[in-house]
Amino acid sequence: MHRPTLALLVIFSAAFVAAPLHAQGTSGADLAMTSKYAEAMIQLNKEIAAGQNVASAYFWRAYCWRNPDPSLKYDAGVDNEKAIADYTKAIELDPAMAAAYRNRGKCWTRLGNHQRALADYLKAYQLDPDMSYLANELASARLLVNDYTGAIGDYTRMIGQAKAGSSPTEQMFLASYYYHRGYARAQTKDLAGAFADYTEAINEPSSTSMNIGDAYVKDQAQYARAGIRRQQKDSDGAIGDYTQIILRKAKNSGEAYFSRGWTWLQNEKYDEAIADFTMCLELEPGALNAYFQRGAAKHNKGDYAAAEADYTQFLTLSPKDADAYLNRGLVRAELKNLPGAGADYGKLIELAPKFVRGYLLRGALKREAKDLAGAFADANKAVELAPGDSDTWWERGLTYVAAENYDAAIPDFTKCLEIEPKAYSAYFQRGQAYSHQGNPAAAETDFAKYIEAQPAEAGGYWRRGLARKDLRKFPEAVADFTKVIELAPQYAPAYCERARWRDFPSDSTAALADFAKAIALKPDYSYAYYWRGWHFYNTKEYPAAIADFLKAGETGYDAAMAHHGAGRARFMNNDLTGALADYTESLKSDPRWALSDRAEVLEKMSDLTGALKDMDALLTPDSKFAHGFLQRAMLKRKLKDFPGALTDYNKAIELKPDDSETYRNRATVRKGTGDEAGAKADLAKAAELEAVAAKKI
């Protein structure tokens, strides 16, 4: 009952009738017709042995094999094989015995050999086309062998005869004839014809002379018509059909509620679906699939806890249903019950070990739980099972990203795109991987592809803007951040980045407006305060810069960087004491950030020894900080430590051989120590470097 299906109501008469002539008196046939089967068998065996009415005797003995005890249920305790053997013997003795062909056909039907049954019904019909019920049985046999065209012809003939009034018995089956012809037409894709026949069956007046299951046939015809309406996207019509069945209060109204609920579900009318599935369960507590579908409706509605309860009830009754574990796993993941969801996906994989999505879902959970080894195991298994499925490469790519293995992630996203060029999110993820890899040009290209496919998605512009900023394409980056603001006007970081990369100083006013907007949207936005502080620093508004740097620190920005910025602004504002305090505070968080700057302050405050101490703490023999060696060399020079100064100038030149200032400073020291030749050589080198620089300018 996961989905309503079309039923085939093949109707055969229950009794074996149309007996041949037999001798009058207490014959085997007489005994059989009065249900005295044991006595009839004895008498019929005698008749066969004596050669009396042999064909009839075989016919009736076959009848007895089919009816061993009238107290037994229909089709219980019968021996169809022996009955077939006796009907065959009767036919051999009397080839015109239509009833024998007809009844042998029934036996073949009971044994599931529908082709041989059809052959016997055809022969019987050829011999006696007016035999009661035979035409209907022939048409039913055609349906069972998928001879829909033949069945349509048979039912069309029977409908014509019944409507002409030639057979009152057949008139009582008219609704059934329409239904079955509709079924046959549906199998040949003639939905218009099937729809018309189902409608005729529904509208056919019910029989009052005998109970032939009219209501049941009408219900099934209405179910079938609703099915066609669903195929044709006529959900309202389908719901109307199910409602009519419910209003008739048919005995199978639970199924009608289920079918209507399923239609509501497909139409995303979740409340109506839930109500119908609930009613189905009240009428038929054993309709376990109603729990599944009600769970699906609650799931889609977002009522995850209630959905979980329904899926659990379904699994209690059907513990090996993989779909239910899948769906319960999904709702448990929504409920943040990750262990429960993982257990469900594990059970899903156990029941369906080749179901790729199970590995993908479990792998994603493991990735979220930082179990990268487990996530890779599931992702690799998914790729192994379905290397042609883009989702498998996508998920493994995401796992590589989580492991910060961008070199491996990029080929997986590329493979995903080879399989599914419209998997646009792979461009986005690959672009981010390129960014992490330090390849902003490739990142820019991928984000452009993503934007082409998703022009209304702000994330693509945001990431491309960052890549363009790294490429120093500042006007293009500003344009992207402007687009982000257009699509997501409440996204504070876009204002902040646009402010940072606007043209300076011509766009200074606009930049300050952007910083202000970012802070208005996010009052504790430490990043915005920090970078506005540098903006004020560059415009020489040092008090405003100091205030913003300190605010950045208060609101969570890196303390070392915040105090370092404040120290720079105080230094430029000639507040040496304040600068010294900020640099000292910065060193508490990161001793590498501010030693050079504090040394500069101490030097200006004439504390050359303190300044040198900071520079000694900063520099090691293997340091690559050329300016630091230059700065310490100048301190040593002021302290008259010329050999030490010369050593530091040499190191600075080794690290940065194209800096003319360092050569000039070393020339001064060399001259002071009597090395005139060295001094001249340094001055010549400085002049050479400056000439080269002038040409470049």
Side-chain angles (χ1 to χ4, degrees):
M1 203 187 279
H2 279 248
R3 287 187 173 85
T5 56
L6 183 62
L8 171 59
L9 308 177
V10 177
I11 298 177
F12 295 96
S13 61
F16 283 64
V17 294
L21 294 174
H22 53 274
Q24 298 298 311
T26 311
S27 67
D30 291 326
L31 293 168
M33 284 190 289
T34 57
S35 302
K36 297 176 180 178
Y37 301 119
E39 297 175 40
M41 288 288 278
I42 294 170
Q43 182 60 33
L44 290 166
N45 287 336
K46 289 178 180 179
E47 291 174 9
I48 291 169
Q52 298 174 2
N53 300 311
V54 179
S56 175
Y58 276 115
F59 178 93
W60 285 105
R61 191 170 73 173
Y63 187 86
C64 291
W65 289 124
R66 286 288 302 138
N67 297 277
D69 186 339
S71 67
L72 295 174
K73 293 182 179 179
Y74 180 68
D75 229 21
V78 302
D79 194 330
N80 285 297
E81 288 85 356
K82 288 182 179 178
I84 287 171
D86 277 354
Y87 284 131
T88 301
K89 194 68 176 175
I91 289 167
E92 290 173 359
L93 294 168
D94 184 358
M97 190 184 293
Y101 282 105
R102 183 252 187 126
N103 285 3
R104 188 172 69 177
K106 286 177 173 289
C107 293
W108 286 124
T109 297
R110 300 300 188 273
L111 292 174
N113 193 332
H114 302 302
Q115 288 289 355
R116 299 190 75 167
L118 177 59
D120 276 349
Y121 288 131
L122 284 168
K123 184 64 177 179
Y125 190 79
Q126 177 186 341
L127 293 168
D128 186 359
D130 295 326
M131 186 184 297
S132 296
Y133 305 116
L134 177 57
N136 184 47
E137 290 166 346
L138 172 60
S140 296
R142 289 189 194 275
L143 289 179
L144 291 170
V145 298
N146 302 332
D147 178 13
Y148 301 119
T149 302
I152 290 168
D154 286 343
Y155 285 120
T156 299
R157 184 173 59 255
M158 287 187 284
I159 288 168
Q161 291 171 350
K163 293 180 75 173
S166 63
S167 173
T169 300
E170 288 187 344
Q171 275 188 315
M172 292 185 290
F173 283 103
L174 193 52
S176 173
Y177 297 159
Y178 276 118
Y179 171 79
H180 283 91
R181 188 174 71 175
Y183 177 89
R185 283 177 163 171
Q187 305 314 302
T188 63
K189 309 302 181 186
D190 177 12
L191 297 185
F195 188 93
D197 277 347
Y198 292 143
T199 300
E200 289 287 351
I202 294 164
N203 295 334
E204 183 63 30
S206 298
S207 167
T208 56
S209 59
M210 63 183 297
N211 179 14
I212 57 171
D214 287 331
Y216 184 70
V217 170
K218 290 177 184 293
D219 287 347
Q220 294 308 309
Q222 200 133 26
Y223 280 121
R225 188 173 73 175
I228 291 176
R229 283 177 157 160
R230 284 203 315 271
Q231 288 184 57
Q232 296 174 337
K233 310 301 182 185
D234 178 13
S235 297
D236 290 341
I239 288 168
D241 276 335
Y242 295 132
T243 301
Q244 285 185 32
I245 298 171
I246 291 167
L247 291 175
R248 285 200 296 269
K249 296 183 178 179
K251 64 180 180 180
N252 56 348
S253 57
E255 182 180 353
Y257 278 110
F258 180 90
S259 299
R260 190 174 69 175
W262 192 83
T263 307
W264 287 126
L265 178 58
Q266 303 312 303
N267 249 6
E268 300 181 4
K269 300 287 187 180
Y270 303 124
D271 289 332
E272 292 87 342
I274 291 166
D276 274 355
F277 292 133
T278 300
M279 194 65 187
C280 171
L281 287 165
E282 289 180 12
L283 293 167
E284 297 182 29
L288 66 95
N289 284 310
Y291 286 110
F292 184 96
Q293 298 295 353
R294 188 173 69 177
K298 292 173 178 177
H299 185 171
N300 285 304
K301 186 184 175 184
D303 187 356
Y304 301 122
E308 180 186 19
D310 272 347
Y311 290 137
T312 299
Q313 182 63 31
F314 177 85
L315 284 166
T316 301
L317 301 169
S318 182
K320 294 187 176 181
D321 190 291
D323 287 342
Y325 285 107
L326 168 62
N327 284 12
R328 191 174 69 175
L330 292 171
V331 298
R332 283 178 164 177
E334 293 288 352
L335 291 167
K336 304 304 179 186
N337 178 3
L338 302 189
D344 278 346
Y345 296 146
K347 190 66 177 178
L348 165 63
I349 291 168
E350 177 187 323
L351 293 168
K354 293 187 177 180
F355 183 56
V356 174
R357 192 180 177 204
Y359 295 98
L360 296 179
L361 288 168
R362 189 174 68 177
L365 278 186
K366 290 177 178 178
R367 185 171 66 241
E368 188 174 347
K370 310 301 182 187
D371 175 12
L372 294 183
F376 274 118
D378 279 343
N380 288 332
K381 184 65 176 179
V383 169
E384 175 192 326
L385 288 171
D389 184 343
S390 62
D391 286 345
T392 62
W393 300 96
W394 162 259
E395 285 294 331
R396 194 171 71 174
L398 292 178
T399 306
Y400 278 124
V401 168
E404 299 182 6
N405 186 349
Y406 305 112
D407 290 344
I410 288 168
D412 274 4
F413 292 133
T414 301
K415 185 67 176 178
C416 172
L417 286 164
E418 287 176 7
I419 296 169
E420 178 47 76
K422 292 184 178 180
Y424 303 118
S425 292
Y427 285 113
F428 187 89
Q429 289 295 339
R430 190 174 67 178
Q432 291 203 95
Y434 279 130
S435 293
H436 284 293
Q437 212 181 37
N439 188 350
E444 180 188 24
T445 300
D446 271 354
F447 292 132
K449 280 283 190 182
Y450 179 76
I451 290 167
E452 182 182 325
Q454 304 286 344
E457 167 42 47
Y461 296 99
W462 169 250
R463 290 293 174 181
R464 189 174 67 176
L466 294 177
R468 285 175 162 176
K469 173 262 296 184
D470 291 339
L471 290 167
R472 305 190 68 77
K473 294 182 177 181
F474 301 129
E476 293 89 342
V478 167
D480 276 344
F481 296 136
T482 299
K483 188 66 177 179
V484 175
I485 291 167
E486 175 187 321
L487 294 169
Q490 302 303 306
Y491 189 57
Y495 293 96
C496 189
E497 289 300 323
R498 186 170 71 173
R500 285 189 65 193
W501 306 110
R502 283 184 182 278
D503 188 54
F504 184 84
S506 62
D507 278 353
S508 178
T509 301
L512 286 173
D514 277 346
F515 281 126
K517 181 65 174 179
I519 291 168
L521 289 170
K522 193 175 179 181
D524 290 335
Y525 194 8
S526 61
Y527 183 85
Y529 285 113
Y530 180 79
W531 286 106
R532 190 173 67 175
W534 282 113
H535 183 91
F536 283 132
Y537 179 91
N538 289 327
T539 58
K540 297 182 172 52
E541 297 175 72
Y542 300 122
I546 293 166
D548 270 355
F549 285 130
L550 294 178
K551 184 67 174 179
E554 291 172 11
T555 52
Y557 204 75
D558 181 89
M561 295 178 70
H563 281 291
H564 175 262
R568 290 296 304 167
R570 291 187 196 278
F571 180 80
M572 296 303 294
N573 205 36
N574 293 317
D575 178 6
L576 299 181
T577 303
L580 183 65
D582 272 325
Y583 288 141
T584 300
E585 192 65 32
S586 176
L587 289 168
K588 292 179 182 178
S589 302
D590 188 341
R592 310 299 298 171
W593 267 102
L595 282 168
S596 174
D597 288 309
R598 190 173 69 172
E600 185 179 16
V601 173
L602 290 170
E603 181 183 359
K604 196 165 186 179
M605 296 174 75
S606 301
D607 184 0
L608 300 182
T609 303
L612 182 61
K613 183 178 179 182
D614 274 354
M615 295 308 299
D616 286 341
L618 174 64
L619 299 172
T620 61
D622 59 347
S623 292
K624 305 298 182 185
F625 185 26
H627 182 76
F629 285 105
L630 175 61
Q631 184 178 352
R632 188 171 68 175
M634 295 176 73
L635 282 171
K636 288 179 177 179
R637 177 180 157 193
K638 287 183 177 181
L639 289 167
K640 310 299 183 183
D641 178 8
F642 299 118
L646 190 60
T647 298
D648 279 346
Y649 283 132
N650 291 339
K651 185 66 175 179
I653 289 171
E654 176 189 328
L655 293 170
K656 194 175 180 182
D658 59 350
D659 183 27
S660 62
E661 181 187 358
T662 307
Y663 282 102
R664 289 193 178 280
N665 279 293
R666 189 173 69 174
T668 301
V669 173
R670 279 179 164 178
K671 186 175 182 179
T673 58
D675 182 5
E676 293 288 344
K680 288 181 179 180
D682 278 348
L683 290 172
K685 184 65 176 178
E688 176 189 331
L689 291 171
E690 288 163 358
V692 171
K695 286 182 181 179
K696 288 182 180 179
I697 294 172

